[in-house]
Amino acid sequence: QLYKKNKIDKASLISYELANNLSKKGQYQLAKKYSNWQWHDKALMLANLSQHRNDLSLRFPLAHYKMIENYSDKYNIDEPFIYAIIRQESTFRKKVKSSAGALGLMQVIPATARVVAKKYNIPLLRMTQMYQAKTNLNIGVAYLNLLSKQYNNHPVLMAAAYNAGPRQVNIWLRDLPKNETDLWIETLPWHETRNYLKTVLS
């Protein structure tokens, strides 16, 4: 009831307490219930906790499918790649803000959101709009389109730039071996970006 009334913080606390007191079977049943509510981050967490890693509908939800399909076509970005970015960035949480100030489903930094919104003529009157799925996905996928043009649609470089920023990726491209993608990933000095790329690709 708390989740349905949009009291997410209180609902999350109760969810953690409940999950810790359930059997693996109970956790899995609760995960499916959360999935039906479209509370995807909690469903994903409980699917992993209950060791039901083969239930792909829980672990890799197709949330916001129609919007993602639309923006995938509009900006020529593969749908699975968009889902992989969202899953890694926010685990499908719409109203989340990172310590660096990144916002919403695709965790876009406000400065980046403003640049992308201006370039692609996307209405962005206030930054709270980034907590809305439609605006966040529009700007996030448009940003992927921008990175696609910069890196010749190379998914590893696009994901690396999404995580670490294009400037840093350009430094790595200059200084690190780039003939083999696997080797390039493994030689990245940033542990976070190495893990980010491996998770997005998987």
Side-chain angles (χ1 to χ4, degrees):
Q1 291 298 322
L2 288 171
Y3 175 75
K4 291 179 180 179
K5 291 179 180 178
N6 209 29
K7 297 181 179 179
I8 307 299
D9 291 340
K10 288 184 179 180
S12 292
L13 287 174
I14 294 172
S15 172
Y16 281 120
E17 292 177 6
L18 180 60
N20 288 330
N21 289 300
L22 290 174
S23 65
K24 299 295 183 187
K25 182 178 179 181
Q27 290 170 345
Y28 180 54
Q29 290 172 340
L30 188 59
K32 291 194 288 186
K33 186 178 290 291
Y34 287 163
S35 179
N36 291 336
W37 292 353
Q38 298 185 26
W39 198 3
H40 296 295
D41 61 303
K42 287 295 183 289
L44 194 159
M45 177 201 72
L46 283 172
N48 289 334
L49 192 64
S50 64
Q51 298 178 353
H52 282 80
R53 295 188 175 90
N54 292 327
D55 193 326
L56 301 184
S57 65
L58 292 179
R59 296 187 61 229
F60 301 95
L62 300 180
H64 311 292
Y65 178 77
K66 285 297 181 183
M67 281 189 283
I68 289 175
E69 182 181 45
N70 178 40
Y71 294 133
S72 170
D73 291 340
K74 182 177 180 178
Y75 296 114
N76 196 28
I77 302 293
D78 289 341
E79 288 179 33
F81 188 68
I82 299 170
Y83 280 112
I85 294 292
I86 296 170
R87 187 182 188 276
Q88 183 62 17
E89 289 288 344
S90 69
T91 55
F92 299 92
R93 291 172 293 168
K94 288 187 291 187
K95 294 187 177 180
V96 62
K97 182 178 181 179
S98 76
S99 58
L103 303 171
L105 282 168
M106 296 191 72
Q107 288 289 277
V108 184
I109 296 289
T112 301
R114 292 187 187 97
V115 169
V116 173
K118 183 176 181 180
K119 184 175 181 63
Y120 289 86
N121 296 314
I122 301 168
L124 185 64
L125 300 177
R126 54 192 179 279
M127 211 44 65
T128 52
Q129 288 175 256
M130 291 300 290
Y131 292 124
Q132 300 168 3
K134 184 177 180 179
T135 300
N136 193 283
L137 291 171
N138 195 358
I139 288 177
V141 182
Y143 182 45
L144 288 177
N145 177 263
L146 197 62
L147 295 175
S148 174
K149 293 175 181 177
Q150 185 170 350
Y151 295 107
N152 197 28
N153 202 32
H154 195 301
V156 171
L157 299 183
M158 290 164 61
Y162 200 94
N163 176 255
R167 181 181 299 177
Q168 187 60 52
V169 169
N170 292 340
I171 292 171
W172 291 334
L173 284 172
R174 184 191 66 202
D175 296 343
L176 300 174
K178 51 184 176 292
N179 292 332
E180 296 183 31
T181 301
D182 290 349
L183 179 60
W184 188 80
I185 293 172
E186 289 299 336
T187 53
L188 293 179
W190 290 11
H191 177 75
E192 178 194 340
T193 302
R194 288 200 308 272
N195 287 344
Y196 182 93
L197 291 176
K198 291 174 185 177
T199 304
V200 167
L201 289 173
S202 68

